[in-house]
Structures are given as structure tokens and as C-alpha cells.
Amino acid sequence: MSEEKKLDATGLFCPEPVFRTKIEIEKMQSGQILTVSADDPAAEDDISRWVTRNGHELLDVSKNNSTITLRIKKVK
């Protein structure tokens, strides 16, 4: 069940990274991890808020130049 999924949202702008994150999380089973890469400056805050609001777990946030990577664990 530890299979990690990846979502490349680089080149997309608000609200698309959050929208695509939501779609991917909905397809996953509880306990799976989604790694999202985005370069929209608003993506970190937007996705972090969405994760918290929907009861999932934000495991890690990292930045490499303009790319933000978020690791999200589906909780429910």
C-alpha cells in the first residue's frame, strides 16, 4: 500500500494545481502518498490549505529553484 503516485503540475497556475491534486487524491486509497511538483508560487499555500482542510497529512515540502514539491498522505 506504500505505492507513491506522482503529479506534475509544473506550468499550471491557480487553481489548476489544487484541482488536479484533489482529483488524484480522490483516486487513491487511504495510506497512499502523492508527490506533487508545481512551479506556481501560490501552489504551496493553496495545496497546503486544501490538504489540511480535507483531513490529509502534509508529509514534506521542499523547494528547488522555482519548483515546489509537496508529499501528501491520503488519510481518509
Side-chain angles (χ1 to χ4, degrees):
M1 179 76 75
S2 63
E3 177 186 346
E4 287 204 25
K5 306 258 185 190
K6 294 193 183 307
L7 171 63
D8 183 2
T10 54
L12 303 174
F13 295 95
C14 188
E16 207 58 33
V18 176
F19 184 64
R20 294 199 183 189
T21 299
K22 176 184 182 293
I23 290 169
E24 286 302 311
I25 289 281
E26 287 174 351
K27 294 183 203 172
M28 295 167 57
Q29 295 186 12
S30 189
Q32 287 185 303
I33 294 170
L34 177 65
T35 300
V36 181
S37 298
D39 56 1
D40 177 2
E44 180 180 358
D45 286 340
D46 293 347
I47 294 172
S48 296
R49 277 197 295 270
W50 181 86
V51 167
T52 302
R53 196 169 47 241
N54 288 278
H56 302 297
E57 185 179 346
L58 185 60
L59 300 175
D60 184 57
V61 178
S62 60
K63 295 178 187 176
N64 183 1
N65 298 322
S66 64
T67 303
I68 302 157
T69 304
L70 302 98
R71 289 182 68 239
I72 303 159
K73 182 176 181 181
K74 181 170 181 169
V75 173
K76 54 180 181 164

